[in-house]
Amino acid sequence: MNIKPLADRVVIKMLEAEETTKSGIILTSKAQEKPQVAEIVAVGPGGVVDGKEVKMEVSVGDKVLTSKYAGTEVKVDGEEYTILRQSDILAIVD
Amino acid sequence: MNIKPLADRVVIKMLEAEETTKSGIILTSKAQEKPQVAEIVAVGPGGVVDGKEVKMEVSVGDKVLTSKYAGTEVKVDGEEYTILRQSDILAIVD
Amino acid sequence: MNIKPLADRVVIKMLEAEETTKSGIILTSKAQEKPQVAEIVAVGPGGVVDGKEVKMEVSVGDKVLTSKYAGTEVKVDGEEYTILRQSDILAIVD
Amino acid sequence: MNIKPLADRVVIKMLEAEETTKSGIILTSKAQEKPQVAEIVAVGPGGVVDGKEVKMEVSVGDKVLTSKYAGTEVKVDGEEYTILRQSDILAIVD
Amino acid sequence: MNIKPLADRVVIKMLEAEETTKSGIILTSKAQEKPQVAEIVAVGPGGVVDGKEVKMEVSVGDKVLTSKYAGTEVKVDGEEYTILRQSDILAIVD
Amino acid sequence: MNIKPLADRVVIKMLEAEETTKSGIILTSKAQEKPQVAEIVAVGPGGVVDGKEVKMEVSVGDKVLTSKYAGTEVKVDGEEYTILRQSDILAIVD
Amino acid sequence: MNIKPLADRVVIKMLEAEETTKSGIILTSKAQEKPQVAEIVAVGPGGVVDGKEVKMEVSVGDKVLTSKYAGTEVKVDGEEYTILRQSDILAIVD
């Protein structure tokens, strides 16, 4: 099964806290917003979104920082993903 | 009876939870937002919506992920549908 | 007496629940929003509305789906009507 | 004394309920919004309002439907008027 | 001492209720909004405000209707003034 | 130490109430908004801010009226300043 | 490990209160907003953000004033950083 995000959306897979620790990244958060590291698994086509041209700057495989409350969680074939807009991605880590 | 959505709206039919499980998709959700898989049964013409050109990217028969609280439910000829804007569709699944 | 809606507004007459059932359409609704079937009885000229060109896509006599809470109710010559913007009309049914 | 509304504003005089009934129009309303019939007594020049060109479509003497809570009431020379934007006028009745 | 308003702001001096009555204008108000008659004592230069060209349409000495809650009160040399945007002025009276 | 405001921001130093009284200006305020007289100590470069060209109209040394709740207070080298946008300045006094 | 902010975002490292005092800067704050001095450690590429061209005006190594509640905190390799938009930076100090 395959998820093809529309417009400027991307599909990300949250990396486990354990995994995160191994890679040396520990994420703290304020009150209602838990930033997390995730891996991008699908990228929408971009294009005109809400009347504005959006160019996709992230690629499949990028490790990214985002806010936990951005986007919508889905479970496909037993795996949990989050679908969110590219503008909700804060940074790429490598 | 026929529903012709206006502007950038689409008519979708939610797939039953049972159906969903068979196809290997199980959807979880956060607090106030329950994403669901649905099938598109009608697509509006797009065009200029709120002063911005919108091109329809989805087609009748597409399986899509959306948020349960997006759109308005209607019951036509005994079947329940939801009418929502294309921008409320998160992704196409196949 | 005659009602001429301004700009992108239309005047609709809600069809009775009984009438609705006969035509095979039963409308359900979520919490605060009751979609209903109505007939269009007057259509504004469209044109530039809030700085954006709006083209009227509906015609007198069209049966439409809308949300009950959209628009303003008026009673003219003993008949109840609702005046709302074209963008509050979800779909045409036939 | 003379009231000259600025920009896209118009001055209206609400017609008495009695008057309204005689002309065959009875207005009902939902919760927080009481539509009423009024007569236009002054029309602003239109022009660029909030960066958008507005053309005045109503004229002195027009009978209009509006929402009671739109605009600001003033009393001039013992008469009560309401000053509101043209976009708060729903329809012309004749 | 001199007040020079910036952009599309004007400085007005509220006319006393007594004064207002003599001139035959009595202003009533709804709930949270008390319209008042005032005299303009200074006018900003207009120009580009929030990305939009604003032309000043009022002049020093104009009597205007405005809402009491628009703008900010200041007391200069013992006199009370209000500084508000031109768009908060409803009408000129003469 | 030197504060260089970005974009359309300015740095102001509130004049003491005592100072204000001597110069003949006494400022009153409504509920949640206390206008105050301040002196401008640094001016940002202006330019494109949020997609709109902003030209700086105030200069270092100008005495200005502003609302107390606009901007952010900072203490640098023992002196308190406020950093706010030029659009939060109501008027220049001289 | 390396953080590359997207679009108009920057990564800053808050300077310790102790450090701040030594450099002669003491920051006070109103109610819900604590301005702080920070050092910029990474700068995004700018470009078109939400349909508007954004040019980055800050550089790595700049000391900046910002509001504590702007942005999202992350901890990478044991160090705490904040990722925020350039428009949330109030001023550069030197």
Side-chain angles (χ1 to χ4, degrees), chain E residues 1-2 11 18 27 34 38 52 59-61 74-76 81:
Chain E
M1 178 152 295
N2 196 14
V11 183
E18 288 77 15
L27 295 159
K34 294 196 211 163
K52 296 161 194 157
S59 308
V60 171
V74 296
K75 187 184 269 195
V76 176
Y81 300 101

Side-chain angles (χ1 to χ4, degrees), chain B residues 5-84:
Chain B
L6 289 182
D8 60 344
R9 289 188 181 83
V10 298
V11 183
I12 60 175
K13 188 167 165 44
M14 290 298 166
L15 298 183
E16 297 300 315
E18 289 78 15
E19 236 173 295
T20 311
T21 307
K22 279 176 200 160
S23 67
I25 300 173
I26 303 153
L27 295 160
T28 63
S29 71
K30 294 180 196 166
Q32 291 295 359
E33 221 180 341
K34 296 199 210 163
Q36 298 197 335
V37 68
E39 182 168 349
I40 290 177
V41 297
V43 177
V48 177
V49 179
D50 198 29
K52 296 161 192 157
E53 183 71 31
V54 176
K55 193 183 157 213
M56 302 311 285
E57 309 283 357
V58 294
S59 307
V60 171
D62 284 352
K63 301 282 193 306
V64 297
L65 293 172
T66 179
S67 299
K68 186 173 183 179
Y69 291 92
T72 304
E73 289 176 3
V74 296
K75 186 183 268 193
V76 176
D77 297 343
E79 296 273 356
E80 284 190 1
Y81 300 101
T82 298
I83 304 177
L84 75 174

